[in-house]
Amino acid sequence: MIRTRDELEAQERVVLASYAQKSGDSEGRIHPEPKHPHRTDYQRDRARVIHSRAFRRLEYKTQVFLNGTGDHLRTRLTHTFEVANITRTIARALGLNEDLAEVIALAHDLGHPPFGHTGEETLDELMCDHGGFDHNEQSLRVVDVIELRYPKFPGLNLSHEVREGLQKHARFYESAKPGGKRTAHPSLEAQVANLADEITYYSHDLDDGLDFKLLEPKQLAGLEAWSVTEVQVRRDFPGLKGADLRAYVIRCLIDRQVADVIRTSSARIEAAGVRSADDVRAYSRPLIAYSDSLRRANVQLRKFLYKNLYYHPRVAGANKAACDMLGEVFAAYLKKPELLGEATARRMDDGGLHRTVFDYVSGMTDRYLLDEHARLFKKSRKPAAKRTAKSARRKK
Ligand code: MG
């Protein structure tokens, strides 16, 4: 028996909560396309994201540690899978559209440049007179313009609700309906993917920082998010020590955050009395949230990570050296646009020189950029990632 798309859409109306975004109610795509016989629009969007080149490149982009620094440190791709997984858990528990929430999670970092936070800051400076850089806007640009997979339109031509979800922290959200209103918030599915991103990086950055010995467990004693969870784990498993203890505290920290968001959001949704996805968009505040106490703990954790991990000399030093190369490659393309590939050069008329160079460079993986730098400047450099790994091993 083959289920048709009509049947799958009808099933969503029965199974999902009233305030979930149903695929059958999508506002559609920028370039109209015939519907698929047995896949919903969001299932189709998920496939488009997974099959994109930008998605595959996430494997070789820095999350916090320069790509290649350690085999089990997170990359942008493993981060993305962790976000998608947490997103699905929260979405399913709240009766939301898991397919939609998952696509937003899978696509949320497609616009991230090489070399993590430092790469983002470098590119923002390089583009300061040309509109700056925001990785959320760039994710949208990747799926709307940069990916070239289909003969009839540029980009992946994703559904309106997925594009809405990628405009994280936007001031307002446009409707695609003729005469439709701007709204203050996106769907609950987008709000879930947004918060799942935070839950994911708080926990895995702590995990990677401890694993790579940039953070010491004793530094975390004053952090509420860590200490409350650790006390509970030590009580339940008094024999756990060292790496085993740490791994289980991280696991429980994620579980605590997810459970808190599900509980808090469910109560807020009920209190708001929203009955539809449009009610959610028009409501005065976001409905997916942490409890006040966990939000305070996470603010403290975030400050700690910025101070002690993201700008730790061993992280920032390696990333800064790589970003200097990023600046040099950027300048080389501006000076000699003929160095850009043919497909990229074709976009020059639409975007202008700076934006075209920027799109090209920001799409690069860490290792491609390092190789390109060596090629352009005819230097045989060892990739910074390998140098960092060696020096890290020496320090252990
Ligand atoms: Mg992210």
Side-chain angles (χ1 to χ4, degrees), residues 76 79 83 108-109 197 201:
R76 204 48 76 179
H79 160 74
V83 176
H108 87 280
D109 266 352
D197 185 24
Y201 67 67

mmCIF file of all heavy atoms in Angstrom, residues 76 79 83 108-109 197 201, ligand 1:
data_model
loop_
_atom_site.group_PDB
_atom_site.id
_atom_site.type_symbol
_atom_site.label_atom_id
_atom_site.label_comp_id
_atom_site.label_asym_id
_atom_site.label_seq_id
_atom_site.Cartn_x
_atom_site.Cartn_y
_atom_site.Cartn_z
ATOM 1 N N ARG A 76 30.752 21.311 12.470
ATOM 2 C CA ARG A 76 29.475 21.976 12.179
ATOM 3 C C ARG A 76 28.408 20.935 11.791
ATOM 4 O O ARG A 76 27.229 21.119 12.045
ATOM 5 C CB ARG A 76 29.745 22.959 11.048
ATOM 6 C CG ARG A 76 28.883 24.138 10.841
ATOM 7 C CD ARG A 76 28.510 25.010 11.972
ATOM 8 N NE ARG A 76 29.496 25.922 12.466
ATOM 9 C CZ ARG A 76 29.284 26.769 13.458
ATOM 10 N NH1 ARG A 76 28.114 26.821 14.068
ATOM 11 N NH2 ARG A 76 30.218 27.565 13.880
ATOM 12 N N HIS A 79 27.326 18.961 14.992
ATOM 13 C CA HIS A 79 26.495 19.912 15.747
ATOM 14 C C HIS A 79 25.087 19.942 15.149
ATOM 15 O O HIS A 79 24.085 19.881 15.864
ATOM 16 C CB HIS A 79 27.136 21.312 15.697
ATOM 17 C CG HIS A 79 26.192 22.424 15.993
ATOM 18 N ND1 HIS A 79 25.719 22.697 17.268
ATOM 19 C CD2 HIS A 79 25.605 23.341 15.181
ATOM 20 C CE1 HIS A 79 24.887 23.734 17.226
ATOM 21 N NE2 HIS A 79 24.795 24.130 15.965
ATOM 22 N N VAL A 83 21.532 19.143 16.931
ATOM 23 C CA VAL A 83 20.422 20.109 16.993
ATOM 24 C C VAL A 83 19.150 19.464 16.439
ATOM 25 O O VAL A 83 18.066 19.574 17.027
ATOM 26 C CB VAL A 83 20.745 21.399 16.187
ATOM 27 C CG1 VAL A 83 19.545 22.345 16.190
ATOM 28 C CG2 VAL A 83 21.975 22.100 16.741
ATOM 29 N N HIS A 108 19.975 25.180 9.554
ATOM 30 C CA HIS A 108 20.182 26.437 10.284
ATOM 31 C C HIS A 108 21.606 26.983 10.188
ATOM 32 O O HIS A 108 21.815 28.182 10.285
ATOM 33 C CB HIS A 108 19.741 26.302 11.753
ATOM 34 C CG HIS A 108 20.805 25.777 12.671
ATOM 35 N ND1 HIS A 108 21.115 24.444 12.764
ATOM 36 C CD2 HIS A 108 21.647 26.412 13.525
ATOM 37 C CE1 HIS A 108 22.089 24.274 13.634
ATOM 38 N NE2 HIS A 108 22.439 25.455 14.115
ATOM 39 N N ASP A 109 22.597 26.117 9.964
ATOM 40 C CA ASP A 109 23.990 26.599 9.923
ATOM 41 C C ASP A 109 24.595 26.529 8.519
ATOM 42 O O ASP A 109 25.821 26.625 8.387
ATOM 43 C CB ASP A 109 24.853 25.787 10.903
ATOM 44 C CG ASP A 109 24.952 26.473 12.271
ATOM 45 O OD1 ASP A 109 24.484 27.626 12.390
ATOM 46 O OD2 ASP A 109 25.484 25.863 13.213
ATOM 47 N N ASP A 197 19.204 24.669 19.211
ATOM 48 C CA ASP A 197 20.569 25.050 18.824
ATOM 49 C C ASP A 197 21.354 25.469 20.074
ATOM 50 O O ASP A 197 22.470 25.010 20.316
ATOM 51 C CB ASP A 197 20.487 26.207 17.811
ATOM 52 C CG ASP A 197 21.848 26.603 17.249
ATOM 53 O OD1 ASP A 197 22.765 25.771 17.260
ATOM 54 O OD2 ASP A 197 21.969 27.753 16.773
ATOM 55 N N TYR A 201 24.649 23.598 21.762
ATOM 56 C CA TYR A 201 26.018 24.097 21.865
ATOM 57 C C TYR A 201 26.468 24.363 23.289
ATOM 58 O O TYR A 201 27.641 24.177 23.614
ATOM 59 C CB TYR A 201 26.337 25.247 20.905
ATOM 60 C CG TYR A 201 25.671 26.575 21.071
ATOM 61 C CD1 TYR A 201 25.916 27.394 22.155
ATOM 62 C CD2 TYR A 201 24.823 27.054 20.079
ATOM 63 C CE1 TYR A 201 25.332 28.637 22.274
ATOM 64 C CE2 TYR A 201 24.218 28.299 20.181
ATOM 65 C CZ TYR A 201 24.483 29.087 21.281
ATOM 66 O OH TYR A 201 23.887 30.315 21.395
HETATM 67 MG MG MG B 1 24.064 26.217 15.280
#
